[in-house]
Amino acid sequence: MTDCTETMTDCAETMPDCAETMPDCAETMPERNNPTSDDLPTAPLSPRERVPEGRVRDAFEDGVAAALAMAAGEETTVTWRRDRKGVSTGWCRLPSGEALLPAARAVAELHGRLAMVTPYLPERAKERGEREIAYHFDLDGATLTLTVVLPLEWARVPSLTPIFRNCDWHERELMELYDVQVVGHPDPRRLFLDHTLPHAPFERLVPYSTFTNAATSKALWDKVLAGEREDA
Amino acid sequence: MTTKIIELGPHQLALEEPMYFRVQLEGDRVADLDVLPGQVHRGMEHLVMRRNLYQNITLLERLCSLCSNSHPSTFCAAVEEVAGIAIPPRAEYLRAVADEIKRIASHLFCCAVQANAIGEIPLFRRVMEVREIMQRAKEAIYGNRMDLAANVIGGVRYDLPPEAIAYLYQAMEDMKKPLDELYLQFANNPALMARMAWVGVLPSEAAVECAVVGPVARACGIDYDVRKKSPYGAYDRLDFEVAMQTAGDVRARNLVRLAEARQSVSLIEQCLAQLPAGPLCVDTLPEIPAGEAIAKSEAPRGELMYYLRTDGSDFPVRLKWRVPSYMNWDALKVMLKGEPVANIPLIVNSIDPCIACTDR
């Protein structure tokens, strides 16, 4: 445990130096000095011991922040919050859409698991002309959220599916519900929605009976009756 | 060898919910698979933005039947995190009791459905008979056999009076022997071994790549349980081992589930023994401020995650959740590859699929 803390602190210090040689450095990082999920204090500690703000957690949080800053630019900062049980959530607003791919690669290097993707229209989205997508990653129990801010119109994000296989469905769902283009997705078909539905229904008014393919309500009976007339 | 594409629906797959598969066959073996979800897409993530936070507890409980307590309790945890509400200790334990009762019932249902899928009807009946103890406990304590309506923002809305505690202790006692027997049967019965061992294998590397969670991941040797990794509620004071297997086949997934059901019995007993006195819910709720929060819990099928964003009003700006089944469908491609057609219903049911949850 003590060893682990020390190596992590070293790592944070040496990282700015290797920023220039990043591609080479990134490959050798996991075994050398980067905090991986194996280094985290999980199994050997009882739950009670995990709760206090240990130095190991601090070092882990600093390590993640340093890795992101190195990958996505100096101005990338992570704000960490801990809940009453000591579970960390990290929040990071990426400086630009271009920073998403390198930041996601850095999370993959840290053995992060893509947990969820949340596209949304924030408060006063129309006024500000902005939309956001939050990518939530699991880092051995801690959750890191990377948020990208995109224009409301003509929004484009790179696909993370080549890095995280399970991003496939998240991005297919994102593309059909919101007006966002995912560039480089290997299989950009609709996932849940029928082809008769309009594009991006979460951004426009679609009657509920249309949305559910007339599974309920008057629209269903209209369809049934229209079918009867055709038969006659 | 002939290549053929067949389409399978809920009837052929012995599913109680609609999900369709387009399966590419080489001879009688599965070569590739396309999953066609969306048959019960109800636009629920849109509906929750048109309801206030209190109404959403009711709506989310109706998202799915088998994990119906995990959704409202995790949603409430997200609201509590945004508003900085600390729920009373008694409520933490009562939430755990409700979650664990649902977990036992859900895991047994999954094992029963698989017994049915391979024609072991007496075993199917036996597992459902054992599960009935939990169904009756739910009915006795919560007044309902599926949706418990146990959660409110800031705590719970049910209590366990001394006679209910005694009743639940007895129900837990009644579960122990049958659960141990079922575990041994799923582990050693030659007829079950022949159908379930080395069938639908998910190697652990593929499990990591597909990012599966819950019993499907733990059956491949991935030691991940939200109750341990990100403790919430009362779980930081409860003692349990993460149930693990390494084979990654149908048998291993069922053994993880049955071991977990047995541990849930122990967890409920611990909750009843430690149950602190005190209020069930915070007295007054603060205004829910603008903010964002993540809440996670270990639902019966694995990690359930909620993201809530608020703007200071009663309506969420965004409420998004990801159910554990979401990643399991992709893992089916690995599990089914090379398997004979006859094994498809069993393997599909072995991921404990939840389609209402997946489609939303």
Side-chain angles (χ1 to χ4, degrees):
Chain A
M1 287 261 310
T2 324
D3 296 348
C4 168
T5 317
E6 276 169 18
T7 49
M8 280 188 188
T9 321
D10 293 345
C11 148
E13 280 166 13
T14 52
M15 265 183 188
D17 300 346
C18 59
E20 284 168 24
T21 55
M22 201 194 79
D24 304 336
C25 174
E27 278 170 26
T28 52
M29 266 198 308
E31 61 268 26
R32 218 160 40 93
N33 55 9
N34 227 29
T36 68
S37 54
D38 305 333
D39 299 329
L40 293 175
T42 49
L45 290 176
S46 81
R48 233 173 260 247
E49 287 170 290
R50 276 191 69 193
V51 176
E53 294 158 324
R55 286 181 60 212
V56 182
R57 278 270 133 168
D58 289 341
F60 159 75
E61 290 172 1
D62 293 347
V64 171
L68 278 176
M70 194 175 85
E74 288 287 319
E75 63 272 44
T76 315
T77 53
V78 185
T79 313
W80 289 94
R81 295 202 314 240
R82 282 183 206 173
D83 68 11
R84 290 187 171 76
K85 310 285 171 186
V87 177
S88 308
T89 45
W91 303 87
C92 171
R93 291 180 80 81
L94 292 173
S96 66
E98 288 79 53
L100 177 63
L101 263 184
R105 281 198 199 100
V107 176
E109 290 280 338
L110 296 167
H111 300 280
R113 165 170 64 83
L114 180 82
M116 183 164 77
V117 178
T118 311
Y120 57 93
L121 301 177
E123 313 80 58
R124 295 181 290 111
K126 286 228 169 80
E127 264 171 62
R128 283 152 57 187
E130 282 177 358
R131 67 170 73 239
E132 293 176 9
I133 303 177
Y135 294 81
H136 314 276
F137 297 92
D138 175 82
L139 289 162
D140 204 53
T143 310
L144 174 69
T145 300
L146 303 179
T147 308
V148 283
V149 182
L150 300 168
L152 199 55
E153 283 173 23
W154 305 103
R156 288 155 65 95
V157 277
S159 170
L160 297 190
T161 307
I163 307 172
F164 299 96
R165 171 175 165 156
N166 64 316
C167 202
D168 179 3
W169 274 30
H170 290 285
E171 288 178 340
R172 281 174 69 185
E173 194 182 346
L174 182 163
M175 279 185 277
E176 64 183 5
L177 293 178
Y178 288 88
D179 205 2
V180 175
Q181 197 192 343
V182 178
V183 181
H185 192 283
D187 181 19
R189 289 175 299 158
R190 280 199 169 182
L191 180 62
F192 294 119
L193 299 187
D194 192 78
H195 284 276
T196 55
L197 286 172
H199 173 60
F202 274 21
E203 298 192 22
R204 51 183 57 82
L205 182 70
V206 180
Y208 192 62
S209 52
T210 310
F211 204 104
T212 53
N213 200 17
T216 53
S217 84
K218 183 173 170 294
L220 174 66
W221 287 107
D222 290 348
K223 276 195 179 180
V224 171
L225 293 173
E228 268 178 14
R229 276 194 294 277
E230 270 170 32
D231 293 343
Chain B
M1 187 113 42
T2 54
T3 304
K4 196 165 141 187
I5 290 175
I6 56 168
E7 286 184 2
L8 298 176
H11 291 92
Q12 292 92 342
L13 297 170
L15 290 170
E16 70 275 25
E17 294 178 273
M19 181 61 96
Y20 289 81
F21 295 94
R22 191 168 291 139
V23 187
Q24 191 184 324
L25 299 175
E26 298 264 348
D28 74 333
R29 304 270 161 171
V30 177
D32 202 2
L33 173 76
D34 191 14
V35 184
L36 310 169
Q39 318 301 326
V40 282
H41 191 281
R42 291 145 289 162
M44 284 191 77
E45 286 189 1
H46 189 73
L47 294 179
V48 293
M49 291 189 277
R50 297 286 172 270
R51 277 160 181 73
N52 69 33
L53 298 169
Y54 313 98
Q55 293 171 318
N56 276 331
I57 300 173
T58 312
L59 179 61
L60 288 167
E61 183 139 17
R62 278 141 190 86
L63 177 65
C64 155
S65 60
L66 287 164
C67 38
S68 64
N69 193 63
S70 300
H71 286 281
S73 69
T74 315
F75 164 67
C76 287
V79 178
E80 286 149 10
E81 176 69 17
V82 166
I85 302 167
I87 71 168
R90 191 176 177 86
E92 289 188 330
Y93 280 89
L94 290 175
R95 274 191 188 171
V97 168
D99 265 348
E100 296 304 323
I101 288 178
K102 288 291 291 187
R103 188 185 318 280
I104 300 172
S106 175
H107 281 350
L108 289 180
F109 185 76
C110 176
C111 292
V113 168
Q114 288 176 61
N116 186 46
I118 59 170
E120 296 281 341
I121 306 304
L123 180 63
F124 162 74
R125 288 200 190 124
R126 174 69 186 138
V127 181
M128 289 303 272
E129 193 183 12
V130 177
R131 179 176 181 266
E132 186 60 22
I133 302 173
M134 298 320 297
Q135 296 300 95
R136 291 201 177 138
K138 285 192 248 174
E139 196 171 352
I141 293 168
Y142 306 92
N144 200 331
R145 288 165 65 91
M146 282 321 260
D147 293 347
L148 308 183
N151 296 282
V152 281
I153 296 165
V156 290
R157 56 183 296 271
Y158 81 103
D159 198 7
L160 287 178
E163 58 272 26
I165 290 179
Y167 168 80
L168 205 47
Y169 263 127
Q170 185 56 49
M172 291 304 114
E173 207 54 50
D174 295 345
M175 291 298 287
K176 287 179 187 168
K177 198 157 164 266
L179 279 176
D180 290 341
E181 279 168 12
L182 285 178
Y183 185 92
L184 288 177
Q185 198 165 2
F186 274 84
N188 302 325
N189 179 328
L192 296 183
M193 292 274 276
R195 290 301 307 274
M196 293 179 173
W198 301 107
V199 168
V201 176
L202 181 68
S204 71
E205 307 80 52
V208 172
E209 206 192 324
C210 296
V212 291
V213 290
V216 174
R218 291 193 284 275
C220 310
I222 296 174
D223 183 3
Y224 196 100
D225 187 316
V226 180
R227 295 172 293 176
K228 285 271 190 224
K229 293 276 183 191
S230 321
Y232 57 96
Y235 290 105
D236 56 338
R237 281 148 286 165
L238 300 174
D239 189 28
F240 70 102
E241 295 278 314
V242 177
M244 296 270 287
Q245 289 284 327
T246 49
D249 55 7
V250 173
R251 175 175 171 271
R253 291 193 271 281
N254 288 329
L255 293 184
V256 166
R257 288 189 188 105
L258 288 165
E260 277 183 17
R262 183 66 185 79
Q263 275 180 359
S264 295
V265 169
S266 152
L267 285 169
I268 293 169
E269 286 182 336
Q270 290 176 47
C271 285
L272 297 178
Q274 296 178 25
L275 194 63
L280 299 171
C281 184
V282 293
D283 278 344
T284 46
L285 287 180
E287 295 237 333
I288 311 293
E292 54 185 352
I294 296 273
K296 292 192 290 185
S297 70
E298 184 73 22
R301 286 157 191 76
E303 178 198 71
L304 171 67
M305 184 183 234
Y306 267 77
Y307 168 80
L308 171 68
R309 186 182 175 96
T310 53
D311 62 354
S313 74
D314 286 351
F315 289 78
V317 172
R318 183 71 158 107
L319 179 61
K320 164 84 182 170
W321 59 96
R322 199 235 51 237
V323 299
S325 294
Y326 201 80
M327 293 81 77
N328 285 345
W329 300 105
D330 184 34
L332 272 179
K333 287 182 191 168
V334 182
M335 294 178 195
L336 284 173
K337 193 154 195 171
E339 291 285 346
V341 176
N343 279 351
I344 297 176
L346 173 67
I347 295 170
V348 169
N349 278 292
S350 79
I351 64 165
D352 203 358
C354 190
I355 294 145
C357 269
T358 305
D359 282 5
R360 285 156 287 137

